[in-house]
Amino acid sequence: QVSELVQFLLVKDQKKIPIKRADMLKNVIREYRDAYSEIVNKAARTLQEVFGLQMVEIDTKRHTYILINNLRRAESEYLCRDKEKAKMGLLIVILSFIFMKGNSVKDSAVWEFLHRLRVYPGKQHKVFGDVRKLVTEEFVRQKYLEITSIPLTDPPEFKYQWGPRAAKEASKKDVLNFVAKIQGKNPTFWTSQYSQAEATP
Amino acid sequence: ENREDMLNSKSNRLTEALEEANRLFDGVCRAREAALDAQFLVIASNIGKEKANELHSEMSAFDSAAFAEDLLTFMGINRTETEDSDDSEDVPGGFLPSNAWQKMGEEALKYFRRAPTFHYMMGSFKSDPPVPKQRIERQKKASRGKAERAMPAQLKKMEESHQEATEKEVERILGILQTHFENDPDTPISFFDFVIDPKSFARTVENMFHVSFLIRDGLAKIKLDEDELPVIAEPTKPSGRGEDDTRAGTRNQVIISLDQKEWK
């Protein structure tokens, strides 16, 4: 049962959409409901020891999980499809913008920033296609971004923040280092962001 | 309205609005007016909160314009000589190479602890017991497992149920035919009488489909009667296995077409 669950989790993770406990129960565990937590724990152990992946619960109310990589990044080539790489590039740009601007940014500000990078919400992008959909739907579904509406705004405005997956897969420190590298400065240059980054593990 | 105005850190509009509201409140004597006042307070406090947020991010001023330029540089932008566009975002100067975002992504991946997407090396196919993974590779897509149990297991179930339904139907029809032949062994049934359901075209087609199974399996036979209309008859009883079977095995293909008009 454990190995079935492990396989199930690995396959489900392909799309990077969080895995629900209900799905696990329905498709894999079924009759063994009572042993659920034991099976899950063993599966998590296997993932960790065999694949170096950590199973993290990102929503304790609805019991949804994601898999993240527990091993330190190898400096060498990371095997990945080009399209996936490009998306990650866009993602880190957005995430760093959000962080440097105080962890929460208005949607208009995000798109204005992306505008400078020749990424436009209304226009098909050569690499990303429908960018607006990618950012507001795919990234949100994968829990990389969280978009919430700002109350009492008319026309409605939204604020963009880091999603739970982003918080687990990347740290503020990492992202600050990224920004520092790009701008050729020392991360301590931005004092408040730096102290935030140091504060969060 | 005037939201942007109030948010401006340099303006005191928010304070002024609050003060005016205070004054007005003295003249309030109806509940509805008080409700409006409360509504206003909510909006005002939201704006106040936003203002406070903006204050916070001013602390370590982050120049997003410069960041954007640095990002473009990193991605390998080719700045053309005609640098007349600074603020005009319609046709900015320079263009990005096609691998610009891939380059960004490669750098980005160093900062993410992303689980590599998992793919089977041998592909997937329905098979019975999944052999537990033999070799284990850390970090990258490993597992030379054979079967993709979680997904095909579901699909398998669905297919089975389809098959069962068809088989059941065929068996049912066979039962009907056999009953008839028991009672009346020498009278073949008119094919159309048998399959047509006066109330449903779809059912008719289904019935034809099921009958064709029986014929294929040799459990019933179709032949043409004097009027050249198809009838269903009992299969010739095989005297002994062997030759008869091979003879009965010569298959003929018949195509029957029936559209709704004809059916009616």
Side-chain angles (χ1 to χ4, degrees):
Chain A
Q1 218 63 25
V2 177
S3 48
E4 266 189 51
L5 182 60
V6 170
Q7 282 196 47
F8 177 78
L9 290 170
L10 284 168
V11 170
K12 268 286 204 165
D13 183 63
Q14 278 176 4
K15 290 269 166 66
K16 297 294 166 193
I17 296 179
I19 309 157
K20 297 191 269 228
R21 176 164 84 169
D23 287 340
M24 287 196 263
L25 282 171
K26 187 170 64 154
N27 292 316
V28 182
I29 304 195
R30 290 177 299 218
E31 316 83 60
Y32 302 88
R33 275 193 134 77
D34 305 324
Y36 168 75
S37 38
E38 198 187 313
I39 299 180
V40 168
N41 287 337
K42 286 209 179 134
R45 264 248 312 272
T46 309
L47 283 169
Q48 171 65 57
E49 290 169 10
V50 172
F51 298 96
L53 300 176
Q54 191 184 0
M55 194 169 151
V56 181
E57 187 171 23
I58 52 167
D59 186 338
T60 42
K61 250 198 304 182
R62 302 195 200 104
H63 300 292
T64 47
Y65 301 84
I66 55 169
L67 297 183
I68 62 173
N69 203 335
N70 229 1
L71 297 170
R72 264 186 26 234
R73 285 164 296 278
E75 278 306 319
S76 55
E77 279 280 306
Y78 191 100
L79 292 173
C80 197
R81 286 223 167 75
D82 280 346
K83 189 93 190 273
E84 230 182 280
K85 272 192 208 167
K87 286 184 190 176
M88 296 307 283
L90 180 63
L91 182 64
I92 202 176
V93 162
I94 297 177
L95 289 176
S96 38
F97 180 69
I98 295 177
F99 170 55
M100 298 302 282
K101 280 296 209 178
N103 298 308
S104 173
V105 200
K106 263 206 297 210
D107 54 354
S108 48
V110 173
W111 290 106
E112 192 194 304
F113 179 69
L114 288 176
H115 213 131
R116 297 176 189 273
L117 300 174
R118 291 73 185 295
V119 173
Y120 313 102
K123 203 164 116 169
Q124 277 288 97
H125 192 269
K126 258 189 300 192
V127 177
F128 300 117
D130 186 343
V131 192
R132 178 175 273 284
K133 189 163 179 203
L134 172 62
V135 174
T136 58
E137 288 181 26
E138 189 171 321
F139 283 162
V140 173
R141 224 176 322 130
Q142 296 175 332
K143 303 290 179 189
Y144 275 120
L145 283 182
E146 207 171 83
I147 301 185
T148 32
S149 58
I150 304 181
L152 302 171
T153 46
D154 183 39
E157 291 172 25
F158 300 88
K159 64 174 192 248
Y160 286 32
Q161 292 166 302
W162 281 30
R165 185 188 283 271
K168 292 277 179 209
E169 285 192 10
S171 66
K172 293 182 174 172
K173 203 167 175 181
D174 288 326
V175 166
L176 182 61
N177 286 338
F178 168 72
V179 174
K181 178 171 175 179
I182 294 286
Q183 298 221 260
K185 293 192 157 73
N186 198 307
T188 52
F189 179 73
W190 298 274
T191 37
S192 78
Q193 286 90 338
Y194 182 73
S195 43
Q196 256 188 72
E198 290 295 299
T200 16
Chain B
E1 324 101 31
N2 307 326
R3 198 191 171 85
E4 286 307 317
D5 227 8
M6 297 204 193
L7 277 177
N8 190 336
S9 52
K10 308 234 185 352
S11 88
N12 274 333
R13 292 247 11 218
L14 185 57
T15 328
E16 291 166 17
L18 278 167
E19 283 172 3
E20 184 171 341
N22 258 347
R23 267 189 310 107
L24 287 171
F25 193 74
D26 284 337
V28 157
C29 53
R30 298 242 184 304
R32 177 66 191 138
E33 291 163 13
L36 278 175
D37 181 80
Q39 228 179 358
F40 164 72
L41 267 182
V42 174
I43 298 183
S45 65
N46 273 334
I47 299 185
K49 188 171 111 175
E50 251 190 81
K51 255 185 117 158
N53 274 339
E54 305 227 335
L55 265 183
H56 164 258
S57 56
E58 296 305 349
M59 263 203 293
S60 305
F62 173 66
D63 186 350
S64 38
F67 184 48
E69 285 301 306
D70 289 334
L71 282 170
L72 288 170
T73 313
F74 181 84
M75 290 200 268
I77 192 173
N78 210 322
R79 292 176 208 273
T80 57
E81 256 97 38
T82 50
E83 194 80 276
D84 57 331
S85 47
D86 262 356
D87 300 347
S88 104
E89 278 130 1
D90 275 341
V91 186
F95 58 93
L96 284 169
S98 47
N99 69 339
W101 285 103
Q102 262 106 291
K103 195 150 181 226
M104 183 61 72
E106 267 183 46
E107 181 67 23
L109 284 170
K110 298 188 196 157
Y111 302 86
F112 278 99
R113 289 181 4 178
R114 187 172 152 104
T117 39
F118 178 78
H119 298 283
Y120 286 92
M121 284 192 65
M122 304 294 214
S124 68
F125 54 92
K126 279 190 282 214
S127 82
D128 302 66
V131 178
K133 322 181 219 340
Q134 302 109 343
R135 241 192 303 151
I136 301 156
E137 238 190 58
R138 284 188 300 119
Q139 202 175 9
K140 308 273 165 112
K141 358 181 175 205
S143 171
R144 302 204 184 145
K146 276 207 199 132
E148 204 179 291
R149 271 282 231 112
M151 292 183 344
Q154 292 181 35
L155 281 178
K156 215 174 178 174
K157 281 218 179 102
M158 203 178 70
E159 267 186 38
E160 274 174 12
S161 66
H162 267 223
Q163 281 226 325
E164 278 170 19
T166 316
E167 276 171 28
K168 279 208 179 93
E169 274 302 298
V170 172
E171 279 180 333
R172 190 176 69 90
I173 293 191
L174 179 62
I176 299 177
L177 273 178
Q178 284 179 335
T179 324
H180 169 85
F181 284 132
E182 268 176 43
N183 300 339
D184 215 350
D186 291 318
T187 328
I189 311 179
S190 152
F191 177 72
F192 287 120
D193 273 345
F194 189 63
V195 297
I196 290 186
D197 179 345
K199 296 203 206 81
S200 160
F201 181 62
R203 278 300 270 159
T204 306
V205 174
E206 264 188 56
N207 290 338
M208 286 173 66
F209 174 63
H210 295 133
V211 170
S212 66
F213 271 101
L214 291 174
I215 297 171
R216 177 197 70 171
D217 292 338
L219 295 162
K221 223 168 67 158
I222 283 202
K223 46 187 191 183
L224 295 175
D225 69 1
E226 302 92 21
D227 301 343
E228 302 280 324
L229 289 172
V231 290
I232 308 177
E234 253 202 310
T236 42
K237 301 201 190 2
S239 40
R241 304 239 132 216
E243 305 108 352
D244 261 6
D245 269 6
T246 47
R247 249 190 296 128
T250 47
R251 295 185 193 260
N252 299 311
Q253 275 200 5
V254 179
I255 300 180
I256 301 185
S257 75
L258 181 72
D259 66 4
Q260 280 205 306
K261 272 212 207 124
E262 275 185 28
W263 168 66
K264 279 215 165 84

